[in-house]
Amino acid sequence: MDNLLDRALGLDGRGDRWPLLGKVVLVEDCVETGGAFVVHHIIKRFLSPQPAAASNHSLILVAFSQPLSHYDRVLRKLGCNLVAQRDHDRFLFFDMLNLRFPDRDDVKTGSSVLVSLFEKIYNAVRALSAEKNCITIVIDDIALMEVVANGSSDSVLDFLHYCRTLTSEFDCSVVALNHGDIYSTTEKPMLMLNLEYLSNILVRAEPLATGSAVDVHGQLMVFNKGEHDGQGTPGSKVHNFHFRVKENSVDFFYPGGRG
Amino acid sequence: MATPKTRASSFSRNVPSTAAPQVPGVKSGPNGTLFLSSGISDLDKILGGGFPLGSLVVVMEDPEAPHHMLLLRNFMSQGLVLNQPLLYASPAKDPRGFLGTLPSPVSSKDDKPLNRDSEQEKGLRIAWQYKKYFGENQQNSNSQRDNKFEFCNEFDLRKPLQRQFLSGQRVECMSTQDSPDLAALHDRCATFLKQFFRTDGNISGAGRIAIQSFCAPQCTYFDKEWHVLSFIRSLRSMIRSSNAVVILSFPPSLLSPSFSKRLQHMADTLLSVRAIPDEDKDLAKLLTGYQDMIGLLSVHKVARINTQVPIILEAATFSIKLQKRKFLVLECLNQAPVDGSSGTSYATSGSCSVSSKGGSLDF
């Protein structure tokens, strides 16, 4: 069943191939409106594809924000059993929560953590792609990765650039969550600008201009840089719509289209 | 692929707990979460049960008023009364002194705050009066009144907490003023939280950590932003695997905006307190009961553990009042009748807590 988000991301096609192969998706949110549900939606679509023949999808979740129990419960309600997928080697969970608290401000330790993380990811991707698997790497979230890197945005950017190389080398998809409002007061938010430049699809979750409401939780702006319009002319398209998050699904609708 | 469990509706927040929790002071909530009381029954109701175990509560302070202390005091007293160990850290030289200001629980023979349900039923329903705060919860609250004592107490702010609750190993205090960095506090928290490590079995007890005025300028680590964020990240991770709640207050106006935003994102539950200016004629005209208000409390974010559904509140800003000068209550803001039609409704715009429209009257 397709919805506005699937259409905006290009997931509404009928082909067997995962449409986000080799693409980087950046999800931005803010304190008022969380964007984690977009990441959950993509995870769910990736691991539970419509044609059952696409059983070679593998997901690597690099979690700085929540433990596995949280994702497991959330995805279960969406209809995806992460623990079972893990048992079949289709889901790898990299728990980044319990990294040691550094004794001193040590930029080197921070960047070495990211270097070893990338090594881990690279090895996993290489092993999985040897079996002709279609791989998605999910990063939740980049703001916490910056904290782990002790504020070294260069290390974080390097890490993400390396992840980008995986998209071309192994045809992986990369999905990352970041908090846009953190950078809104910085004059030249280099990390943010670089991320937006790097990504093929940008999804931004914002509150409604009128404030919060019980039946409309916010609005999404999806900027798909590589989207082709009906005539096959390459171009980019911006989609805007509202959403309401529920336990088992998310409703997407055009403004005023509720009810 | 597992089939999703069918739920009657997604609004299952107020389902009364089916099984009695093993431990007093801990209540079960939706999605497999357990709640601790904040010590303020109104706040528990607003947040849908209380503070979830394993969560980080952040309170944004107002430098012009110490209202965050009210939240901290009730939180700490509630834990001590229910035999939940407490770790308290503050920038004061002698944090133990603060314990003398903790409020005492109201015992059954003392008078309790007025039962507001009965108050609303009698008399005229005035047309402009705002939506009833308790609404559909009236039925639940009556049946739960007997069980409430073991979860949330009413505190008398004029009476100090009895000595018996403060003795023993239950309270640990730590000063953050002189430490060169946060390593000592981190280790203290780590040791404290070890006793509440979450396992799959039944929980044996719950703990509370209260950190006051984190990043106050007199602390040596004040300008080491990334170090501070690293500490919070690590604390958050530790608390996720513990049966405990951390409440942390910090002054956002004294920190850089992006740093403050990062902290806000790391919070599971985000509250802010604000002072109410004295003798503000505009506010007095706008709100009923203005004279009794001592401050404003805003709820910016409610914890979403094990779920992706945000909790959207009908109103996000509440007035802090002292009922009978001793009980802390939170009330919805009620707009006084206005001549003619006013453009925007100020009480509903209370939920636009970060609306970009400026103006001192925006809540």
Side-chain angles (χ1 to χ4, degrees), chain A residues 29-38 40-41 47-48 64-67 69-71 73-74 76-81 96-105 142-144 146-148 150-152 179-186 191 207 209-214 216-217 244-250, chain B residues 1-7 9-12 30-33 180-184 186-187 198 224-234 236-238 240-241 256-259 261-266 268 270 300-301 304-310 312-314 316 348-349 351-357:
Chain A
D29 69 1
C30 50
V31 175
E32 304 79 32
T33 312
F37 71 93
V38 177
H40 301 152
H41 178 84
L47 286 178
S48 327
F64 293 89
S65 179
Q66 306 283 5
S69 53
H70 171 88
Y71 296 106
R73 283 190 99 109
V74 170
R76 218 180 270 256
K77 279 179 261 194
L78 293 174
C80 181
N81 190 333
M96 306 302 292
L97 277 170
N98 295 307
L99 293 172
R100 238 185 90 243
F101 176 61
D103 292 319
R104 299 245 177 278
D105 285 275
I142 293 182
L144 284 173
E146 277 186 274
V147 176
V148 165
N150 258 312
S152 162
H179 306 307
D181 55 354
I182 290 175
Y183 310 93
S184 55
T185 50
T186 333
L191 178 64
T210 45
S212 59
V214 175
V216 182
H217 292 164
R244 180 188 176 196
V245 186
K246 304 193 307 218
E247 295 280 6
N248 300 337
S249 63
V250 184
Chain B
M1 192 165 78
T3 46
K5 228 162 78 170
T6 45
R7 286 176 174 269
S9 86
S10 35
F11 307 108
S12 50
N31 304 315
T33 49
D181 57 22
L182 290 163
H186 182 267
D187 291 337
R198 197 179 297 183
K224 299 184 191 162
E225 290 191 356
W226 289 105
H227 180 70
V228 169
L229 289 170
S230 202
F231 168 79
I232 305 272
R233 187 202 64 79
S234 181
R236 190 174 169 274
S237 304
M238 289 195 293
R240 274 285 187 278
S241 50
S256 72
S258 72
F259 176 29
K261 273 283 178 216
R262 285 182 192 273
L263 246 177
Q264 292 175 39
H265 272 287
M266 288 204 242
D268 297 304
L270 182 65
H300 299 275
K301 204 167 40 155
R304 281 171 285 189
I305 300 202
N306 293 341
T307 178
Q308 64 174 13
V309 183
I312 307 286
L313 302 171
E314 295 279 337
T348 43
S349 71
S351 53
C352 312
S353 35
V354 284
S355 159
S356 52
K357 308 184 194 73

Side-chain angles (χ1 to χ4, degrees), chain B residues 118-296:
Chain B
S118 54
E119 221 186 306
Q120 288 165 351
E121 274 161 313
K122 63 181 185 226
L124 268 180
R125 292 271 170 88
I126 303 171
W128 54 260
Q129 196 170 41
Y130 226 68
K131 205 184 291 188
K132 291 294 177 291
Y133 186 97
F134 292 99
E136 63 276 10
N137 285 345
Q138 271 180 14
Q139 307 216 322
N140 277 342
S141 54
N142 284 327
S143 61
Q144 282 172 6
R145 204 163 292 282
D146 298 322
N147 306 340
K148 260 177 92 164
F149 195 79
E150 286 244 80
F151 179 70
C152 178
N153 294 65
E154 291 293 341
F155 289 96
D156 183 347
L157 267 63
R158 294 192 305 190
K159 278 201 213 145
L161 191 61
Q162 293 93 330
R163 286 193 156 272
Q164 74 212 58
F165 293 114
L166 297 170
S167 60
Q169 271 84 31
R170 259 182 274 165
V171 190
E172 290 177 43
C173 289
M174 186 175 169
S175 168
T176 53
Q177 199 186 113
D178 294 322
S179 326
D181 57 22
L182 290 163
L185 180 59
H186 182 267
D187 291 337
R188 229 15 215 285
C189 291
T191 326
F192 181 80
L193 289 173
K194 271 207 189 70
Q195 31 178 335
F196 306 108
F197 189 72
R198 197 179 297 183
T199 54
D200 284 332
N202 293 326
I203 74 165
S204 52
R208 296 175 185 233
I209 298 183
I211 303 178
Q212 186 200 312
S213 295
F214 191 63
C215 269
Q218 65 261 46
C219 301
T220 337
Y221 60 83
F222 166 65
D223 54 349
K224 299 184 191 162
E225 290 191 356
W226 289 105
H227 180 70
V228 169
L229 289 170
S230 202
F231 168 79
I232 305 272
R233 187 202 64 79
S234 181
L235 179 63
R236 190 174 169 274
S237 304
M238 289 195 293
I239 198 86
R240 274 285 187 278
S241 50
S242 312
N243 288 322
V245 173
V246 176
I247 189 168
L248 182 146
S249 74
F250 83 101
S253 53
L254 300 176
L255 305 170
S256 72
S258 72
F259 176 29
S260 170
K261 273 283 178 216
R262 285 182 192 273
L263 246 177
Q264 292 175 39
H265 272 287
M266 288 204 242
D268 297 304
T269 301
L270 182 65
L271 309 170
S272 70
V273 285
R274 244 172 319 157
I276 279 200
D278 286 332
E279 304 300 321
D280 186 324
K281 294 203 180 66
D282 291 322
L283 267 183
K285 264 192 283 176
L286 193 63
L287 301 167
T288 54
Y290 164 73
Q291 284 78 7
D292 304 322
M293 296 183 196
I294 55 175
L296 295 173

Side-chain angles (χ1 to χ4, degrees), chain A residues 133-152:
Chain A
N133 278 334
C134 174
I135 307 162
T136 293
I137 304 166
V138 175
I139 302 172
D140 179 14
D141 56 56
I142 293 182
L144 284 173
M145 196 178 2
E146 277 186 274
V147 176
V148 165
N150 258 312
S152 162

